[in-house]
Amino acid sequence: MRYRLTTAAFAAGVVFGAAGSASATDLEVTHWWTSGGEAAAVAELAKAFDATGNKWVDGAIAGSGDIARPIMIGRITGGDPMGATQFNHGRQAEELVQAGLMRDFTELAEKEGWTKFIHPKSLLDGCTLDGKIYCVPVNIHSQQWLWLSNKAFADAGVAVPKNWDEFVAAAPALEKAGIVPLAIGQQPWQTTLAFQVILVALAGPETFQKIFGDKDATLAAGPEMAKVFAAADQARAMSAKSNVQEWNQATSMVINGKAGGQIMGDWAQGEFQVAGQVAGKDYTCLPGLGVNEIISTGGDAFYFPKQTDPEKAKAQEALASVMLSPATQVAFNLKKGSLPVRGDVDLNAANDCMKKGLEILAKGNIIPAPDQLMSADGVTQVNDLFVEFFANKELSAADAQKRFAEIIAAAD
Ligand code: GAL
């Protein structure tokens, strides 16, 4: 710690000593971005912040958001707040905001005109509680993607599928070639993500909204959703030999041609990029599983726990500002594989899959993320159910659907 302070002071002296106008402030920023692509993206945020004359102190927490969030919340409620922290914008930080632990950035937002350039508007709504803005959205990350390995399909002697049904039909050929049809990491959120993506693709956005938004338990128990559970059952069979935990290990299986595909958010693109793979040539992306081209406009946001040190409070503002600058938005999102929160930036350098995402966004084919619709407690119960469903073949699709409907009936 002493070393870090000394280094920061030295850097401040060198960079700003002459002008004498600013001094570097260390700001610890916690997040769960630890895969190759994520680390490359977060380095862009750090670089932009350091260029303001302050110092990004990286507080990466490995393992996934499910592991990181309780640690972050514990620090904030326990009186050891970090300078800034990632959450998915929506309802994850709701209770911390209600408890008065987060800074209100409404004034800065008004001064900088955030409402004028943040697009779609729902991104800022996800940061707003009782008319006040408590977070800075940094990206739109959509979950509704099927990533396919062109090599795996070539090795199995079948054409790269164009939609979910073709993918399911290709599974026996993949298996015969010793390839796992569908790679899924076993962490709770990943199996739920696969289920939610199948739901939107096969049952459509209205059903998704009615279930997660309106908590329509009758619909959740009905025949439309029975089709979704049947497809989830197919996904379970296709992923039976996928014995990895982390999402990026599953992406690696697709990159290496050991798996046919993975249902995963757009952040998988960061991994393909780090591996030097090219969209369209080495891998194929099917938004909405090639059935319903819809993307969710959830994403990542940074929240700023209240500070007693006025210098840190000032540095928080600098960080909030620079995260939304056009240059940072482009640099960060190109590495992350997500879409910028500003509609006014130049994304010519985007790859084919990101361009598909931008087109879907421009058409307005968007839905909110479940985190924006359901309380964290409800989301956890759904997660638990799908971990069990994917791990336990004895749990039938019909019984899982019954339990799902019960969770929806009780959720808020
Ligand atoms: C999500 C996060 C994404 C992402 C992913 C996997 O919660 O919002 O940005 O990278 O986890 O770590």
Side-chain angles (χ1 to χ4, degrees), residues 32-35 38 64-65 69 86-88 92 139 141 143 189 247 264 266-267 299-300 336 338 371:
W32 59 87
W33 286 328
T34 54
S35 77
E38 290 173 328
S64 79
R69 283 189 292 271
Q86 174 196 8
F87 280 108
N88 296 118
Q92 283 173 1
N139 62 0
H141 78 54
Q143 309 187 333
W189 63 274
W247 68 269
M264 188 42 62
D266 55 15
W267 48 89
D300 299 292
K336 188 78 171 63
S338 45
D371 290 323

Coordinates of all heavy atoms in Angstrom, one line a residue, residues 32-35 38 64-65 69 86-88 92 139 141 143 189 247 264 266-267 299-300 336 338 371, ligand 1:
W32 N -16.0 -7.8 -12.1 CA -15.8 -9.3 -12.3 C -15.3 -9.6 -13.7 O -15.6 -10.7 -14.2 CB -17.0 -10.1 -11.9 CG -18.3 -9.8 -12.6 CD1 -18.7 -10.4 -13.8 CD2 -19.4 -9.0 -12.2 NE1 -19.9 -10.0 -14.1 CE2 -20.4 -9.1 -13.2 CE3 -19.6 -8.1 -11.1 CZ2 -21.6 -8.4 -13.1 CZ3 -20.8 -7.4 -11.1 CH2 -21.8 -7.6 -12.1
W33 N -14.6 -8.7 -14.3 CA -14.1 -8.9 -15.6 C -12.7 -9.5 -15.6 O -11.7 -8.8 -15.6 CB -14.1 -7.6 -16.4 CG -15.5 -7.2 -16.8 CD1 -16.6 -8.0 -17.1 CD2 -16.0 -5.8 -16.9 NE1 -17.6 -7.2 -17.4 CE2 -17.3 -5.9 -17.3 CE3 -15.4 -4.6 -16.7 CZ2 -18.1 -4.8 -17.5 CZ3 -16.1 -3.4 -17.0 CH2 -17.5 -3.5 -17.3
T34 N -12.6 -10.8 -15.7 CA -11.3 -11.4 -15.5 C -10.9 -12.4 -16.7 O -9.8 -12.9 -16.7 CB -11.2 -12.2 -14.2 OG1 -12.3 -13.2 -14.2 CG2 -11.3 -11.3 -13.0
S35 N -11.8 -12.6 -17.7 CA -11.4 -13.4 -18.8 C -10.5 -12.5 -19.7 O -10.3 -11.3 -19.5 CB -12.7 -13.8 -19.6 OG -13.1 -12.7 -20.4
E38 N -12.4 -9.7 -21.4 CA -12.9 -8.7 -20.4 C -11.7 -7.9 -19.9 O -11.8 -6.7 -19.7 CB -13.6 -9.5 -19.3 CG -14.9 -10.1 -19.7 CD -15.4 -10.9 -18.5 OE1 -14.7 -11.5 -17.8 OE2 -16.7 -11.0 -18.4
S64 N -17.0 -14.8 -11.3 CA -18.3 -14.5 -12.0 C -19.0 -13.4 -11.1 O -18.6 -13.2 -9.9 CB -19.2 -15.7 -12.1 OG -19.8 -16.0 -10.9
G65 N -20.0 -12.9 -11.7 CA -20.8 -11.8 -11.0 C -21.4 -12.4 -9.7 O -21.5 -11.7 -8.7
R69 N -20.6 -10.1 -6.6 CA -21.6 -9.2 -6.1 C -21.7 -9.2 -4.5 O -21.7 -8.2 -3.9 CB -22.9 -9.4 -6.8 CG -22.9 -8.7 -8.2 CD -24.3 -8.7 -8.8 NE -24.8 -10.0 -9.1 CZ -24.6 -10.6 -10.3 NH1 -23.9 -10.0 -11.2 NH2 -25.1 -11.8 -10.5
Q86 N -18.7 -2.2 -10.4 CA -19.6 -2.7 -11.4 C -20.8 -3.3 -10.8 O -20.7 -4.0 -9.8 CB -18.8 -3.7 -12.3 CG -19.7 -4.4 -13.3 CD -19.0 -5.7 -13.8 OE1 -18.0 -6.2 -13.3 NE2 -19.6 -6.4 -14.8
F87 N -22.0 -3.2 -11.4 CA -23.1 -4.0 -11.2 C -23.8 -4.1 -12.6 O -23.5 -3.3 -13.5 CB -24.1 -3.5 -10.2 CG -23.8 -3.7 -8.8 CD1 -23.3 -2.6 -8.0 CD2 -23.9 -4.9 -8.2 CE1 -23.0 -2.8 -6.7 CE2 -23.5 -5.1 -6.9 CZ -23.1 -4.1 -6.1
N88 N -24.7 -5.0 -12.8 CA -25.5 -4.9 -14.0 C -26.6 -3.9 -13.7 O -27.1 -3.9 -12.6 CB -26.2 -6.3 -14.3 CG -25.2 -7.3 -14.6 OD1 -25.1 -8.3 -13.9 ND2 -24.4 -7.1 -15.6
Q92 N -30.0 -4.8 -9.3 CA -29.0 -5.5 -8.4 C -28.5 -4.6 -7.2 O -28.2 -5.0 -6.2 CB -27.7 -5.9 -9.2 CG -27.9 -7.1 -10.0 CD -26.8 -7.4 -10.9 OE1 -25.8 -6.7 -11.0 NE2 -26.9 -8.5 -11.7
N139 N -22.2 0.0 -21.2 CA -22.4 -0.8 -22.4 C -23.8 -1.4 -22.5 O -24.6 -1.4 -21.5 CB -21.4 -2.0 -22.5 CG -21.6 -3.0 -21.4 OD1 -22.4 -2.8 -20.5 ND2 -20.8 -4.0 -21.4
H141 N -25.1 -4.9 -23.2 CA -24.6 -6.3 -23.5 C -25.8 -7.2 -23.6 O -26.7 -7.2 -22.8 CB -23.6 -6.8 -22.5 CG -24.1 -7.3 -21.2 ND1 -25.1 -8.2 -21.1 CD2 -23.7 -6.9 -20.0 CE1 -25.3 -8.4 -19.8 NE2 -24.5 -7.7 -19.1
Q143 N -27.6 -10.9 -24.5 CA -27.4 -12.3 -24.1 C -27.8 -13.2 -25.2 O -27.4 -14.4 -25.2 CB -28.2 -12.6 -22.9 CG -28.0 -11.6 -21.7 CD -28.7 -12.1 -20.5 OE1 -29.7 -12.9 -20.5 NE2 -28.2 -11.7 -19.3
W189 N -25.6 -18.8 -13.3 CA -26.2 -17.9 -14.2 C -26.1 -18.3 -15.7 O -26.9 -17.9 -16.5 CB -25.5 -16.5 -14.1 CG -24.0 -16.5 -14.4 CD1 -23.0 -16.8 -13.6 CD2 -23.4 -16.2 -15.7 NE1 -21.8 -16.8 -14.3 CE2 -22.0 -16.4 -15.5 CE3 -23.9 -15.8 -16.9 CZ2 -21.1 -16.2 -16.6 CZ3 -23.0 -15.6 -18.0 CH2 -21.7 -15.8 -17.8
W247 N -17.7 -19.6 -18.1 CA -18.2 -19.3 -19.4 C -17.1 -19.3 -20.5 O -17.3 -19.7 -21.6 CB -19.1 -18.0 -19.4 CG -18.3 -16.8 -19.2 CD1 -17.9 -16.2 -18.1 CD2 -17.6 -16.0 -20.3 NE1 -17.2 -15.1 -18.3 CE2 -17.0 -14.9 -19.6 CE3 -17.6 -16.1 -21.6 CZ2 -16.2 -14.0 -20.3 CZ3 -16.8 -15.1 -22.4 CH2 -16.2 -14.1 -21.7
M264 N -24.5 -17.7 -25.4 CA -23.8 -16.9 -24.4 C -23.9 -15.4 -24.9 O -24.2 -15.1 -26.0 CB -22.3 -17.2 -24.4 CG -21.4 -16.6 -23.3 SD -22.1 -16.4 -21.7 CE -22.4 -18.0 -21.1
D266 N -22.9 -11.4 -25.6 CA -22.0 -10.8 -26.6 C -20.5 -10.7 -26.1 O -19.6 -10.5 -26.9 CB -22.5 -9.5 -27.1 CG -22.7 -8.5 -26.0 OD1 -22.2 -8.7 -24.9 OD2 -23.4 -7.5 -26.3
W267 N -20.3 -10.8 -24.8 CA -19.0 -10.8 -24.3 C -18.1 -11.9 -24.8 O -16.9 -11.8 -24.7 CB -19.0 -10.7 -22.8 CG -19.8 -11.7 -22.1 CD1 -19.4 -12.9 -21.7 CD2 -21.2 -11.5 -21.7 NE1 -20.5 -13.6 -21.1 CE2 -21.6 -12.7 -21.1 CE3 -22.1 -10.5 -21.8 CZ2 -22.9 -12.9 -20.5 CZ3 -23.4 -10.7 -21.3 CH2 -23.8 -11.9 -20.7
G299 N -27.0 -4.4 -19.3 CA -25.6 -4.1 -19.5 C -24.9 -3.9 -18.2 O -25.4 -4.3 -17.1
D300 N -23.7 -3.4 -18.3 CA -22.9 -3.1 -17.1 C -23.0 -1.6 -16.8 O -23.0 -0.8 -17.7 CB -21.5 -3.6 -17.3 CG -21.4 -5.0 -17.7 OD1 -21.7 -5.8 -16.7 OD2 -21.1 -5.4 -18.8
K336 N -14.8 -5.4 -25.7 CA -15.7 -6.1 -24.9 C -16.7 -6.9 -25.8 O -17.3 -7.9 -25.3 CB -16.5 -5.2 -24.0 CG -17.4 -5.8 -23.0 CD -16.5 -6.3 -21.8 CE -17.4 -6.7 -20.6 NZ -18.3 -7.8 -20.9
S338 N -19.4 -5.6 -26.8 CA -20.8 -5.1 -26.5 C -21.0 -3.8 -27.3 O -20.1 -3.4 -28.0 CB -20.9 -4.8 -25.0 OG -19.7 -4.1 -24.5
D371 N -32.7 -8.9 -15.1 CA -32.2 -8.1 -13.9 C -33.0 -6.8 -13.8 O -33.0 -6.2 -12.7 CB -30.7 -7.8 -14.1 CG -29.8 -9.0 -13.9 OD1 -30.1 -9.8 -13.1 OD2 -28.8 -9.0 -14.7
Ligands
GAL1 C1 -22.1 -10.3 -17.0 C2 -21.5 -9.0 -17.4 C3 -20.8 -9.1 -18.7 C4 -19.9 -10.2 -18.7 C5 -20.4 -11.5 -18.1 C6 -19.4 -12.6 -17.9 O1 -22.8 -10.2 -15.8 O2 -22.5 -8.0 -17.4 O3 -20.2 -7.9 -19.0 O4 -18.7 -10.0 -19.1 O5 -21.1 -11.2 -16.9 O6 -18.4 -12.2 -17.0

